[in-house]
Amino acid sequence: MSTDTGPPARERWAARASLASAALAVALPLVFGGVRGFLLLLAALAGMAVAAAALWWMLTRRGLVRWIAGLLAVVVPLAVIVVLAVTLLWTLLLSPVLWIVAVWCGRYALRSARGRVRPMKEHRTPPPRRPFVLMNPRSGGGKVERFRLVEKAERLGARVVLLDPEHHQDVTELARQAVADGADLLGVAGGDGTQALVAAVAAEHGLPFLVVSAGTRNHFAMDLGLDRDDPATCLDALTNGVELRVDLGFAGKHPFVNNASFGAYAAVVQDPAYRDDKIGTILQLLPDLLTRQRGPRLTARAAGTTLDAPQALLVSNNPYRTNDPAGLGRRERLDSGRLGVLGVKVDSAVEAAALLLSPDPQGLSVLTAREVVVGADSAELEVGIDGEAMVLPTPVHCRVEPGVLRVRVPRKRPGVPAVQPTLEWRRLGSLAMLVGRTAGVRRSGHKPRPDQQPDQQPERQPERQPEERSDKP
């Protein structure tokens, strides 16, 4: 008979503290507010539902109805906050603090009990000898000039080519020509769309790829942990860097480092007016797109599941976090070998309210898959690939190529987040209920010796660990 020791006491007590803090955060307004507090909380939930419905009406209507709905979407939440602040001020101040304690203790308990999620593995490789870096001077509002990226790259031994803002240039062809000229690294200082094109060439030839966060949003750089405030630090990878082996997504033959979008957003970015007037174009087009008066009827098949008629569909190179507000829109990993799939289907104000308020809304589909096939009732589909507008023949086959991209990054990356476990209340409850150090008993074929106490274990010889192969050449 042998026993499996459970998690240490600190993890069990952290789980108990998390559950107790969450319970107090909910109970305080009810206990000290009495019936009035209970009714106010119900009114707050109703107000949030009205605000969500008003937001739907604002996006799907025009004229006077849109203005009234927009006013409701702003005024109702403010009114709820004011009423609660006047009647339950101190409990409203204490409840958020208790929720913060509950989340922190819960994550500590789950992280320690399960172990930290391993970050992406870093590979040590020698610096490139003939790096090539393509730079877009217009990207990010002129970051290339503002941060003197050309001067620093050339000082570190890179050959730099500036794109001509006045003339269209084939980025893929420029990258392939650089390979033909002997480049042993390809880099981009520009937006995600340009990065994807050059990344595909680097992956095709097995060359390392350098990301310089000189774009507007830099989502790919963010998930790599790069410094988005100072893109010049990304160039440090040329002399003092390591490699990450990450995945690359494809929509048909078109690569993407972030995502390919279908439906409402993809249709909006196709409009020529979108670049100069984003908000106005969105408000003009969304009513017809969301109410299905314009655009094709989409279908998506992924991992044995079919999504029918979503208004918006996002296929991402590795899944985005959706169950954690603190990490919303970020990817924990870029090397899982899976595509993330997000589908949104909302056909009424009630469904819009459920999408925002329900913990498990029916209108939101979250999947992961190796391949996704997007179809429609039209011969062609509008697609936004890393923010670039394209039109592709139907159906569009999306796939992921695991680990094909060798991304060279600086050794020190200030943006690498600590991967947090998902806050699962059921697991916290199970952990909190454990008593003592024993988590369970496992039967074994070994019997204790007569002189051995039941709670003693025979001394085990340390197992010989297999030798790890070094990444250093």
Side-chain angles (χ1 to χ4, degrees):
M1 181 86 65
S2 65
T3 60
D4 288 332
T5 57
R10 62 178 180 271
E11 279 78 22
R12 299 198 303 272
W13 283 107
R16 293 163 187 165
S18 176
L19 294 174
S21 299
L24 282 175
V26 175
L28 273 179
L30 302 179
V31 172
F32 291 94
V35 176
R36 183 180 60 175
F38 178 73
L39 294 176
L40 284 173
L41 287 180
L42 289 181
L45 291 175
M48 293 173 63
V50 170
L55 183 62
W56 168 258
W57 290 325
M58 185 186 74
L59 295 176
T60 57
R61 300 291 189 273
R62 293 188 177 92
L64 182 61
V65 175
R66 167 175 282 175
W67 287 102
I68 295 175
L71 186 64
L72 283 175
V74 174
V75 171
V76 172
L78 290 177
V80 169
I81 292 173
V82 170
V83 171
L84 291 177
V86 171
T87 55
L88 299 171
L89 176 60
W90 75 271
T91 58
L92 288 180
L93 295 176
L94 185 57
S95 288
V97 175
L98 289 170
W99 275 115
I100 293 173
V101 172
V103 171
W104 187 88
C105 291
R107 282 183 167 167
Y108 174 82
L110 295 176
R111 182 173 62 244
S112 300
R114 177 180 286 181
R116 289 183 178 272
V117 179
R118 291 184 179 181
M120 290 187 290
K121 185 178 180 180
E122 297 180 350
H123 301 264
R124 290 181 292 178
T125 58
R129 296 181 178 180
R130 301 186 64 183
F132 169 85
V133 183
L134 195 65
M135 297 190 179
N136 184 350
R138 282 190 174 179
S139 187
K143 288 183 179 179
V144 168
E145 181 179 357
R146 190 160 69 250
F147 290 93
R148 303 182 66 84
L149 299 182
V150 175
E151 291 83 350
K152 181 172 182 178
E154 291 180 339
R155 189 168 62 250
L156 294 175
R159 176 189 165 211
V160 178
V161 171
L162 283 173
L163 292 175
D164 186 351
E166 303 300 328
H167 300 89
H168 172 74
Q169 293 170 280
D170 190 330
V171 172
T172 300
E173 185 57 36
L174 288 174
R176 286 180 175 158
Q177 184 60 49
V179 175
D181 293 339
D184 59 356
L185 175 143
L186 299 178
V188 175
D192 291 327
T194 306
Q195 288 174 6
L197 295 174
V198 179
V201 177
E204 177 185 348
H205 294 275
L207 296 179
F209 176 64
L210 176 70
V211 176
V212 182
S213 55
T216 303
R217 290 176 290 274
N218 301 295
H219 289 301
F220 189 47
M222 175 180 68
D223 293 330
L224 288 169
L226 300 176
D227 190 342
R228 295 189 295 165
D229 296 325
D230 185 3
T233 60
C234 301
L235 293 169
D236 294 338
L238 292 174
T239 56
N240 186 24
V242 293
E243 284 188 9
L244 306 175
R245 308 293 166 81
V246 307
D247 308 333
L248 187 61
F250 288 85
K253 63 180 181 179
H254 300 278
F256 59 89
V257 293
N258 290 325
N259 56 62
S261 59
F262 304 82
Y265 174 74
V268 169
V269 298
Q270 301 284 336
D271 195 290
Y274 177 74
R275 297 299 178 187
D276 298 326
D277 184 13
K278 290 182 173 59
I279 295 178
T281 305
I282 290 172
L283 292 177
Q284 176 64 29
L285 298 180
L286 275 186
D288 292 339
L289 293 170
L290 295 180
T291 56
R292 307 182 193 281
Q293 299 179 47
R294 173 181 170 178
R297 183 184 180 92
L298 297 176
T299 60
R301 299 194 305 274
T305 301
T306 299
L307 306 183
D308 183 42
Q311 284 109 324
L313 181 71
L314 188 74
V315 180
S316 59
N317 175 26
N318 285 258
Y320 291 104
R321 293 201 71 163
T322 58
N323 53 4
D324 179 11
L328 196 66
R330 296 202 66 160
R331 292 169 288 183
E332 289 181 346
R333 309 190 66 88
L334 292 168
D335 60 351
S336 70
R338 309 285 291 180
L339 295 171
V341 183
L342 293 175
V344 177
K345 182 179 181 181
V346 179
D347 290 316
S348 68
V350 174
E351 293 180 2
L355 184 66
L356 295 181
L357 301 179
S358 173
D360 187 21
Q362 293 184 352
L364 178 65
S365 300
V366 182
L367 304 169
T368 61
R370 296 276 182 154
E371 295 184 357
V372 181
V373 180
V374 183
D377 57 355
S378 60
E380 293 181 326
L381 265 177
E382 296 172 329
V383 188
I385 299 181
D386 282 340
E388 301 294 328
M390 295 186 182
V391 178
L392 303 181
T394 308
V396 178
H397 292 260
C398 300
R399 71 186 192 282
V400 63
E401 295 290 343
V404 298
L405 189 58
R406 300 167 51 194
V407 181
R408 189 168 181 87
V409 296
R411 289 182 184 274
K412 294 182 179 180
R413 290 173 288 146
V416 178
V419 180
Q420 299 289 352
T422 302
L423 201 60
E424 301 176 23
W425 298 105
R426 183 176 298 178
R427 288 192 63 236
L428 279 176
S430 300
L431 186 60
M433 293 297 292
L434 293 177
V435 178
R437 296 188 61 190
T438 302
V441 178
R442 180 178 64 209
R443 293 189 177 274
S444 171
H446 299 284
K447 295 182 179 180
R449 299 191 306 268
D451 59 340
Q452 182 182 0
Q453 297 298 323
D455 58 346
Q456 292 179 333
Q457 300 299 317
E459 184 177 354
R460 297 181 60 187
Q461 296 295 326
E463 296 181 0
R464 184 178 180 182
Q465 299 295 327
E467 295 184 0
E468 294 186 3
R469 295 182 60 184
S470 173
D471 296 314
K472 185 174 181 180

